[in-house]
Amino acid sequence: MMRTIAWLPLLLLAANALPAAAQSSSRFERMLRGWDQDDDGYLTEEETSERGWRYLRGAAEKYGMKTKDRYKIRDVLKARERDREDRKDEGEKKGSDSEKAAGFDTKTDPPRVAGFGEGGGSTDGDSRKQDDEDRDDDGRRDRARRDARRLLDRYDRNDNRLLERDEWRRISGSPEKADANGDGTITLDELTNRLESNYRRRADEDRRERRSSSSASSSSASGSRSAAAKRSADDDKRRSYRFTPAHERLPSGLPSWFRERDRDLDGQVAMHEYSSNWTESRVREFAKYDKNGDGVINASEVLD
């Protein structure tokens, strides 16, 4: 607890002077150097708490470092920066797809337009159809993996490459269904499997609709227009959703100061929101609520 109190004011001094990405990097570096009791630039298990050492080992593994008895702080920071650059390159495609993926209810890619000679009854046509479906499966898996990484980047607040309950509840839809083994955390693979399942379900629905549309093409023009209008209405209904903001999902029983200080309405109180005038007593007061020492007070910590 004393070590947490020691580095909390340092984070506050840098909070308003750096952009968001630099603040995150600075906070991570300050945390590591705060653990370095002998100031030799290396971290050992003896210098960190049991929880801190588990976190450091997990971070090193995530950043592609070999498991060691001690870690050079500079190497950990460099590996972390390389990992962020790699993820940034993979996340070029953003916007509506990633927002829909956050709700675990993303519409699949639009159907391909049939090319010349496609759709006949020959064996070659069946083979091409199977090849297309195989490619769709591969593309769907790749897309689900990319979207899962973007979700982790956005909602993984403690940077452990897992979504915990207090993190996934910020996502709309039913994110808890992705926790396949029910251990209270969602891994990258679990998230990928859940998104891929949603994409496959949407693709199956589209195929059924296209078959239904094709079989109905021989009916009257009015019947065709009616069916098309129904499909359009169904599509609009599926695509209509509203994200519930984090501050509207806060549980009851919170003290009034929590909502008043949550100025950015993200459902939690950061250090710069909690106070602009820090004293030793104010630091201890903040640390009392911030049980995991991440510099942010969430609703569960206050209620606990």
Side-chain angles (χ1 to χ4, degrees), residues 20-32 55-56 59-65 72-88 153 156-161:
Q23 288 181 29
S24 176
S25 175
S26 175
R27 183 170 69 177
F28 183 71
E29 180 176 358
R30 289 179 186 276
M31 180 182 70
L32 296 183
Y55 174 81
L56 180 61
E61 181 179 354
K62 179 182 68 173
Y63 303 143
M65 301 178 65
K72 190 174 182 179
I73 294 177
R74 182 174 298 177
D75 291 343
V76 175
L77 294 174
K78 288 182 178 179
R80 184 175 190 253
E81 187 61 28
R82 286 196 304 270
D83 180 73
R84 286 191 167 190
E85 290 298 326
D86 291 342
R87 283 186 282 160
K88 181 179 179 181
D153 291 343
D156 178 20
R157 292 304 183 100
N158 59 9
D159 214 19
N160 64 352
R161 303 307 291 165

Tab-separated table of all heavy atoms in Angstrom, residues 20-32 55-56 59-65 72-88 153 156-161:
chain	number	residue	atom	x	y	z
A	20	ALA	N	-2.886	11.192	-24.396
A	20	ALA	CA	-3.381	9.954	-23.766
A	20	ALA	C	-2.387	8.818	-23.906
A	20	ALA	O	-2.111	8.098	-22.945
A	20	ALA	CB	-4.727	9.577	-24.385
A	21	ALA	N	-1.830	8.598	-25.110
A	21	ALA	CA	-0.911	7.484	-25.319
A	21	ALA	C	0.339	7.655	-24.470
A	21	ALA	O	0.840	6.704	-23.864
A	21	ALA	CB	-0.537	7.376	-26.792
A	22	ALA	N	0.870	8.894	-24.384
A	22	ALA	CA	2.069	9.138	-23.593
A	22	ALA	C	1.786	8.962	-22.115
A	22	ALA	O	2.622	8.468	-21.362
A	22	ALA	CB	2.596	10.544	-23.861
A	23	GLN	N	0.586	9.384	-21.661
A	23	GLN	CA	0.229	9.191	-20.258
A	23	GLN	C	0.229	7.719	-19.897
A	23	GLN	O	0.741	7.316	-18.855
A	23	GLN	CB	-1.152	9.796	-19.989
A	23	GLN	CG	-1.179	11.310	-19.995
A	23	GLN	CD	-2.551	11.845	-19.691
A	23	GLN	OE1	-3.312	11.200	-18.979
A	23	GLN	NE2	-2.872	12.998	-20.231
A	24	SER	N	-0.373	6.883	-20.770
A	24	SER	CA	-0.439	5.448	-20.500
A	24	SER	C	0.952	4.854	-20.413
A	24	SER	O	1.265	4.086	-19.510
A	24	SER	CB	-1.258	4.757	-21.591
A	24	SER	OG	-1.252	3.369	-21.389
A	25	SER	N	1.851	5.234	-21.369
A	25	SER	CA	3.207	4.723	-21.373
A	25	SER	C	3.961	5.204	-20.150
A	25	SER	O	4.684	4.449	-19.507
A	25	SER	CB	3.909	5.167	-22.659
A	25	SER	OG	5.258	4.775	-22.638
A	26	SER	N	3.795	6.505	-19.790
A	26	SER	CA	4.484	7.055	-18.644
A	26	SER	C	4.029	6.373	-17.363
A	26	SER	O	4.847	6.064	-16.503
A	26	SER	CB	4.232	8.564	-18.570
A	26	SER	OG	4.801	9.099	-17.396
A	27	ARG	N	2.743	6.134	-17.237
A	27	ARG	CA	2.229	5.478	-16.039
A	27	ARG	C	2.804	4.083	-15.903
A	27	ARG	O	3.196	3.666	-14.814
A	27	ARG	CB	0.697	5.412	-16.085
A	27	ARG	CG	0.104	4.793	-14.816
A	27	ARG	CD	-1.395	4.947	-14.773
A	27	ARG	NE	-2.049	4.148	-15.777
A	27	ARG	CZ	-3.366	4.072	-15.904
A	27	ARG	NH1	-4.148	4.766	-15.095
A	27	ARG	NH2	-3.910	3.336	-16.840
A	28	PHE	N	2.889	3.356	-17.006
A	28	PHE	CA	3.440	1.997	-16.978
A	28	PHE	C	4.907	2.040	-16.568
A	28	PHE	O	5.352	1.242	-15.736
A	28	PHE	CB	3.281	1.366	-18.365
A	28	PHE	CG	3.736	-0.054	-18.458
A	28	PHE	CD1	3.015	-1.076	-17.853
A	28	PHE	CD2	4.894	-0.393	-19.137
A	28	PHE	CE1	3.428	-2.391	-17.937
A	28	PHE	CE2	5.316	-1.698	-19.220
A	28	PHE	CZ	4.585	-2.699	-18.627
A	29	GLU	N	5.665	2.975	-17.142
A	29	GLU	CA	7.092	3.060	-16.815
A	29	GLU	C	7.295	3.453	-15.355
A	29	GLU	O	8.152	2.899	-14.658
A	29	GLU	CB	7.780	4.069	-17.732
A	29	GLU	CG	9.273	4.195	-17.447
A	29	GLU	CD	9.962	5.132	-18.423
A	29	GLU	OE1	9.284	5.643	-19.341
A	29	GLU	OE2	11.178	5.353	-18.258
A	30	ARG	N	6.503	4.416	-14.890
A	30	ARG	CA	6.641	4.838	-13.490
A	30	ARG	C	6.308	3.695	-12.530
A	30	ARG	O	6.917	3.563	-11.472
A	30	ARG	CB	5.741	6.041	-13.217
A	30	ARG	CG	6.208	7.324	-13.885
A	30	ARG	CD	5.237	8.464	-13.586
A	30	ARG	NE	5.595	9.653	-14.323
A	30	ARG	CZ	6.507	10.541	-13.926
A	30	ARG	NH1	7.129	10.332	-12.782
A	30	ARG	NH2	6.771	11.602	-14.647
A	31	MET	N	5.318	2.891	-12.893
A	31	MET	CA	4.971	1.754	-12.051
A	31	MET	C	6.146	0.782	-11.948
A	31	MET	O	6.512	0.333	-10.861
A	31	MET	CB	3.741	1.040	-12.617
A	31	MET	CG	3.312	-0.178	-11.799
A	31	MET	SD	1.891	-1.016	-12.525
A	31	MET	CE	2.667	-1.728	-13.992
A	32	LEU	N	6.755	0.465	-13.113
A	32	LEU	CA	7.890	-0.459	-13.111
A	32	LEU	C	9.049	0.096	-12.302
A	32	LEU	O	9.656	-0.611	-11.482
A	32	LEU	CB	8.336	-0.749	-14.545
A	32	LEU	CG	7.334	-1.471	-15.456
A	32	LEU	CD1	7.965	-1.741	-16.814
A	32	LEU	CD2	6.852	-2.771	-14.836
A	55	TYR	N	1.840	-10.077	-12.719
A	55	TYR	CA	1.525	-9.110	-13.788
A	55	TYR	C	2.729	-8.901	-14.694
A	55	TYR	O	2.601	-8.879	-15.919
A	55	TYR	CB	1.099	-7.797	-13.153
A	55	TYR	CG	0.894	-6.673	-14.138
A	55	TYR	CD1	-0.287	-6.583	-14.863
A	55	TYR	CD2	1.878	-5.720	-14.358
A	55	TYR	CE1	-0.489	-5.562	-15.783
A	55	TYR	CE2	1.688	-4.702	-15.273
A	55	TYR	CZ	0.505	-4.624	-15.970
A	55	TYR	OH	0.316	-3.619	-16.876
A	56	LEU	N	3.922	-8.754	-14.113
A	56	LEU	CA	5.135	-8.528	-14.904
A	56	LEU	C	5.439	-9.727	-15.781
A	56	LEU	O	5.778	-9.581	-16.965
A	56	LEU	CB	6.308	-8.234	-13.967
A	56	LEU	CG	7.651	-7.970	-14.648
A	56	LEU	CD1	7.558	-6.760	-15.555
A	56	LEU	CD2	8.740	-7.757	-13.599
A	59	ALA	N	2.981	-9.712	-18.618
A	59	ALA	CA	3.292	-8.647	-19.586
A	59	ALA	C	4.473	-9.037	-20.453
A	59	ALA	O	4.471	-8.835	-21.669
A	59	ALA	CB	3.580	-7.344	-18.846
A	60	ALA	N	5.506	-9.616	-19.837
A	60	ALA	CA	6.685	-10.026	-20.604
A	60	ALA	C	6.317	-11.085	-21.645
A	60	ALA	O	6.767	-11.038	-22.795
A	60	ALA	CB	7.754	-10.564	-19.655
A	61	GLU	N	5.483	-12.050	-21.239
A	61	GLU	CA	5.059	-13.085	-22.188
A	61	GLU	C	4.244	-12.479	-23.320
A	61	GLU	O	4.399	-12.835	-24.489
A	61	GLU	CB	4.243	-14.140	-21.451
A	61	GLU	CG	3.772	-15.282	-22.354
A	61	GLU	CD	2.976	-16.316	-21.580
A	61	GLU	OE1	2.894	-16.199	-20.343
A	61	GLU	OE2	2.444	-17.243	-22.219
A	62	LYS	N	3.366	-11.517	-22.991
A	62	LYS	CA	2.537	-10.882	-24.007
A	62	LYS	C	3.394	-10.111	-25.011
A	62	LYS	O	3.103	-10.085	-26.208
A	62	LYS	CB	1.547	-9.934	-23.336
A	62	LYS	CG	0.638	-9.207	-24.315
A	62	LYS	CD	-0.286	-8.247	-23.614
A	62	LYS	CE	0.496	-7.093	-23.018
A	62	LYS	NZ	-0.402	-6.045	-22.476
A	63	TYR	N	4.480	-9.511	-24.531
A	63	TYR	CA	5.315	-8.707	-25.413
A	63	TYR	C	6.411	-9.528	-26.089
A	63	TYR	O	7.323	-8.977	-26.697
A	63	TYR	CB	5.950	-7.554	-24.637
A	63	TYR	CG	4.946	-6.663	-23.957
A	63	TYR	CD1	5.195	-6.112	-22.706
A	63	TYR	CD2	3.715	-6.374	-24.550
A	63	TYR	CE1	4.268	-5.295	-22.076
A	63	TYR	CE2	2.788	-5.569	-23.935
A	63	TYR	CZ	3.064	-5.034	-22.693
A	63	TYR	OH	2.136	-4.232	-22.086
A	64	GLY	N	6.339	-10.868	-25.975
A	64	GLY	CA	7.277	-11.724	-26.691
A	64	GLY	C	8.619	-11.885	-26.016
A	64	GLY	O	9.605	-12.248	-26.677
A	65	MET	N	8.706	-11.657	-24.704
A	65	MET	CA	9.966	-11.814	-23.982
A	65	MET	C	10.033	-13.193	-23.321
A	65	MET	O	9.010	-13.764	-22.951
A	65	MET	CB	10.096	-10.723	-22.902
A	65	MET	CG	10.050	-9.309	-23.442
A	65	MET	SD	10.134	-8.063	-22.122
A	65	MET	CE	11.804	-8.378	-21.501
A	72	LYS	N	14.902	-6.526	-17.328
A	72	LYS	CA	15.418	-5.171	-17.486
A	72	LYS	C	14.263	-4.257	-17.867
A	72	LYS	O	13.548	-4.517	-18.831
A	72	LYS	CB	16.502	-5.142	-18.566
A	72	LYS	CG	17.258	-3.825	-18.630
A	72	LYS	CD	18.417	-3.915	-19.626
A	72	LYS	CE	19.212	-2.611	-19.665
A	72	LYS	NZ	20.353	-2.708	-20.611
A	73	ILE	N	14.083	-3.199	-17.101
A	73	ILE	CA	12.940	-2.309	-17.319
A	73	ILE	C	12.948	-1.743	-18.727
A	73	ILE	O	11.912	-1.691	-19.401
A	73	ILE	CB	12.951	-1.166	-16.280
A	73	ILE	CG1	12.716	-1.733	-14.866
A	73	ILE	CG2	11.894	-0.117	-16.609
A	73	ILE	CD1	12.791	-0.697	-13.775
A	74	ARG	N	14.098	-1.365	-19.223
A	74	ARG	CA	14.176	-0.781	-20.566
A	74	ARG	C	13.734	-1.787	-21.630
A	74	ARG	O	13.067	-1.422	-22.595
A	74	ARG	CB	15.602	-0.316	-20.848
A	74	ARG	CG	15.773	0.360	-22.210
A	74	ARG	CD	17.157	0.924	-22.369
A	74	ARG	NE	17.436	1.952	-21.365
A	74	ARG	CZ	18.615	2.569	-21.263
A	74	ARG	NH1	19.606	2.255	-22.063
A	74	ARG	NH2	18.783	3.497	-20.335
A	75	ASP	N	14.101	-3.083	-21.434
A	75	ASP	CA	13.695	-4.105	-22.404
A	75	ASP	C	12.182	-4.297	-22.399
A	75	ASP	O	11.551	-4.497	-23.446
A	75	ASP	CB	14.386	-5.438	-22.089
A	75	ASP	CG	15.883	-5.381	-22.361
A	75	ASP	OD1	16.307	-4.448	-23.080
A	75	ASP	OD2	16.613	-6.252	-21.850
A	76	VAL	N	11.578	-4.261	-21.201
A	76	VAL	CA	10.124	-4.421	-21.104
A	76	VAL	C	9.415	-3.259	-21.818
A	76	VAL	O	8.450	-3.459	-22.561
A	76	VAL	CB	9.670	-4.481	-19.632
A	76	VAL	CG1	8.148	-4.535	-19.534
A	76	VAL	CG2	10.271	-5.695	-18.943
A	77	LEU	N	9.921	-2.042	-21.611
A	77	LEU	CA	9.309	-0.869	-22.250
A	77	LEU	C	9.441	-0.931	-23.769
A	77	LEU	O	8.498	-0.619	-24.501
A	77	LEU	CB	9.952	0.412	-21.721
A	77	LEU	CG	9.719	0.716	-20.232
A	77	LEU	CD1	10.530	1.925	-19.797
A	77	LEU	CD2	8.243	0.924	-19.938
A	78	LYS	N	10.617	-1.349	-24.266
A	78	LYS	CA	10.808	-1.456	-25.714
A	78	LYS	C	9.906	-2.520	-26.307
A	78	LYS	O	9.306	-2.326	-27.371
A	78	LYS	CB	12.271	-1.770	-26.027
A	78	LYS	CG	13.219	-0.609	-25.798
A	78	LYS	CD	14.649	-0.996	-26.174
A	78	LYS	CE	15.602	0.185	-25.993
A	78	LYS	NZ	16.988	-0.184	-26.341
A	79	ALA	N	9.809	-3.673	-25.620
A	79	ALA	CA	8.950	-4.755	-26.111
A	79	ALA	C	7.497	-4.323	-26.124
A	79	ALA	O	6.739	-4.645	-27.045
A	79	ALA	CB	9.128	-6.006	-25.245
A	80	ARG	N	7.097	-3.564	-25.112
A	80	ARG	CA	5.714	-3.070	-25.057
A	80	ARG	C	5.426	-2.124	-26.221
A	80	ARG	O	4.365	-2.171	-26.838
A	80	ARG	CB	5.483	-2.359	-23.729
A	80	ARG	CG	4.049	-1.874	-23.507
A	80	ARG	CD	3.939	-1.310	-22.103
A	80	ARG	NE	2.551	-1.046	-21.746
A	80	ARG	CZ	2.016	0.164	-21.665
A	80	ARG	NH1	2.742	1.212	-21.957
A	80	ARG	NH2	0.762	0.315	-21.288
A	81	GLU	N	6.385	-1.246	-26.523
A	81	GLU	CA	6.189	-0.299	-27.619
A	81	GLU	C	6.098	-1.023	-28.963
A	81	GLU	O	5.260	-0.675	-29.811
A	81	GLU	CB	7.345	0.704	-27.647
A	81	GLU	CG	7.165	1.834	-28.643
A	81	GLU	CD	5.946	2.683	-28.349
A	81	GLU	OE1	5.555	2.775	-27.161
A	81	GLU	OE2	5.373	3.243	-29.300
A	82	ARG	N	6.942	-2.062	-29.163
A	82	ARG	CA	6.867	-2.840	-30.404
A	82	ARG	C	5.525	-3.530	-30.522
A	82	ARG	O	4.923	-3.575	-31.607
A	82	ARG	CB	7.988	-3.885	-30.435
A	82	ARG	CG	9.366	-3.317	-30.715
A	82	ARG	CD	10.329	-4.416	-31.117
A	82	ARG	NE	10.408	-5.466	-30.106
A	82	ARG	CZ	11.269	-5.457	-29.102
A	82	ARG	NH1	12.151	-4.466	-28.968
A	82	ARG	NH2	11.291	-6.450	-28.228
A	83	ASP	N	5.033	-4.070	-29.403
A	83	ASP	CA	3.733	-4.749	-29.422
A	83	ASP	C	2.622	-3.771	-29.784
A	83	ASP	O	1.720	-4.102	-30.547
A	83	ASP	CB	3.465	-5.367	-28.040
A	83	ASP	CG	2.131	-6.083	-27.965
A	83	ASP	OD1	2.030	-7.160	-28.558
A	83	ASP	OD2	1.211	-5.550	-27.325
A	84	ARG	N	2.683	-2.547	-29.265
A	84	ARG	CA	1.665	-1.547	-29.588
A	84	ARG	C	1.716	-1.167	-31.066
A	84	ARG	O	0.679	-0.977	-31.702
A	84	ARG	CB	1.872	-0.297	-28.735
A	84	ARG	CG	1.441	-0.493	-27.285
A	84	ARG	CD	1.414	0.831	-26.574
A	84	ARG	NE	0.726	0.705	-25.291
A	84	ARG	CZ	0.386	1.747	-24.542
A	84	ARG	NH1	0.645	2.966	-24.945
A	84	ARG	NH2	-0.225	1.569	-23.388
A	85	GLU	N	2.932	-1.042	-31.611
A	85	GLU	CA	3.051	-0.704	-33.024
A	85	GLU	C	2.472	-1.818	-33.898
A	85	GLU	O	1.807	-1.551	-34.900
A	85	GLU	CB	4.527	-0.465	-33.378
A	85	GLU	CG	5.113	0.807	-32.792
A	85	GLU	CD	4.418	2.060	-33.306
A	85	GLU	OE1	3.993	2.057	-34.479
A	85	GLU	OE2	4.294	3.028	-32.537
A	86	ASP	N	2.746	-3.084	-33.516
A	86	ASP	CA	2.201	-4.212	-34.285
A	86	ASP	C	0.683	-4.199	-34.261
A	86	ASP	O	0.017	-4.415	-35.276
A	86	ASP	CB	2.722	-5.545	-33.732
A	86	ASP	CG	4.209	-5.727	-33.985
A	86	ASP	OD1	4.747	-5.016	-34.863
A	86	ASP	OD2	4.830	-6.559	-33.304
A	87	ARG	N	0.125	-3.946	-33.067
A	87	ARG	CA	-1.338	-3.928	-32.957
A	87	ARG	C	-1.935	-2.753	-33.708
A	87	ARG	O	-3.036	-2.842	-34.252
A	87	ARG	CB	-1.757	-3.883	-31.486
A	87	ARG	CG	-1.634	-5.224	-30.778
A	87	ARG	CD	-2.205	-5.150	-29.392
A	87	ARG	NE	-1.283	-4.507	-28.479
A	87	ARG	CZ	-1.652	-3.978	-27.318
A	87	ARG	NH1	-2.900	-3.973	-26.961
A	87	ARG	NH2	-0.766	-3.439	-26.509
A	88	LYS	N	-1.202	-1.639	-33.754
A	88	LYS	CA	-1.682	-0.480	-34.496
A	88	LYS	C	-1.743	-0.787	-35.982
A	88	LYS	O	-2.690	-0.409	-36.674
A	88	LYS	CB	-0.762	0.704	-34.238
A	88	LYS	CG	-1.204	1.978	-34.953
A	88	LYS	CD	-0.250	3.119	-34.634
A	88	LYS	CE	-0.677	4.375	-35.378
A	88	LYS	NZ	0.258	5.502	-35.105
A	153	ASP	N	-7.839	-4.020	-27.064
A	153	ASP	CA	-7.123	-2.749	-27.010
A	153	ASP	C	-7.983	-1.660	-26.382
A	153	ASP	O	-7.483	-0.794	-25.653
A	153	ASP	CB	-6.708	-2.314	-28.422
A	153	ASP	CG	-5.634	-3.218	-29.014
A	153	ASP	OD1	-5.010	-3.948	-28.228
A	153	ASP	OD2	-5.446	-3.205	-30.236
A	156	ASP	N	-9.480	-3.329	-22.373
A	156	ASP	CA	-8.568	-3.936	-21.397
A	156	ASP	C	-7.860	-2.829	-20.616
A	156	ASP	O	-6.791	-2.370	-21.004
A	156	ASP	CB	-7.555	-4.836	-22.130
A	156	ASP	CG	-6.542	-5.455	-21.175
A	156	ASP	OD1	-6.826	-5.510	-19.966
A	156	ASP	OD2	-5.474	-5.884	-21.648
A	157	ARG	N	-8.443	-2.384	-19.522
A	157	ARG	CA	-7.929	-1.235	-18.788
A	157	ARG	C	-6.624	-1.543	-18.057
A	157	ARG	O	-5.771	-0.678	-17.916
A	157	ARG	CB	-8.975	-0.751	-17.769
A	157	ARG	CG	-10.211	-0.138	-18.412
A	157	ARG	CD	-9.812	1.005	-19.321
A	157	ARG	NE	-10.969	1.671	-19.896
A	157	ARG	CZ	-11.472	2.801	-19.444
A	157	ARG	NH1	-10.935	3.390	-18.411
A	157	ARG	NH2	-12.519	3.352	-20.033
A	158	ASN	N	-6.446	-2.765	-17.511
A	158	ASN	CA	-5.225	-3.069	-16.768
A	158	ASN	C	-4.140	-3.701	-17.633
A	158	ASN	O	-3.102	-4.139	-17.138
A	158	ASN	CB	-5.524	-3.967	-15.564
A	158	ASN	CG	-6.156	-5.285	-15.984
A	158	ASN	OD1	-6.226	-5.610	-17.174
A	158	ASN	ND2	-6.617	-6.051	-15.012
A	159	ASP	N	-4.383	-3.758	-18.944
A	159	ASP	CA	-3.343	-4.160	-19.907
A	159	ASP	C	-2.824	-5.579	-19.661
A	159	ASP	O	-1.649	-5.856	-19.869
A	159	ASP	CB	-2.180	-3.169	-19.859
A	159	ASP	CG	-1.555	-2.983	-21.232
A	159	ASP	OD1	-2.216	-3.322	-22.236
A	159	ASP	OD2	-0.410	-2.512	-21.312
A	160	ASN	N	-3.692	-6.512	-19.226
A	160	ASN	CA	-3.260	-7.892	-19.030
A	160	ASN	C	-3.749	-8.817	-20.133
A	160	ASN	O	-3.676	-10.031	-20.021
A	160	ASN	CB	-3.744	-8.412	-17.670
A	160	ASN	CG	-5.265	-8.484	-17.581
A	160	ASN	OD1	-5.973	-8.010	-18.481
A	160	ASN	ND2	-5.772	-9.066	-16.513
A	161	ARG	N	-4.268	-8.217	-21.234
A	161	ARG	CA	-4.741	-8.963	-22.399
A	161	ARG	C	-5.878	-9.911	-22.050
A	161	ARG	O	-6.053	-10.956	-22.669
A	161	ARG	CB	-3.606	-9.732	-23.085
A	161	ARG	CG	-2.457	-8.856	-23.529
A	161	ARG	CD	-2.899	-7.701	-24.393
A	161	ARG	NE	-3.382	-8.108	-25.704
A	161	ARG	CZ	-4.072	-7.322	-26.503
A	161	ARG	NH1	-4.400	-6.095	-26.124
A	161	ARG	NH2	-4.465	-7.745	-27.696
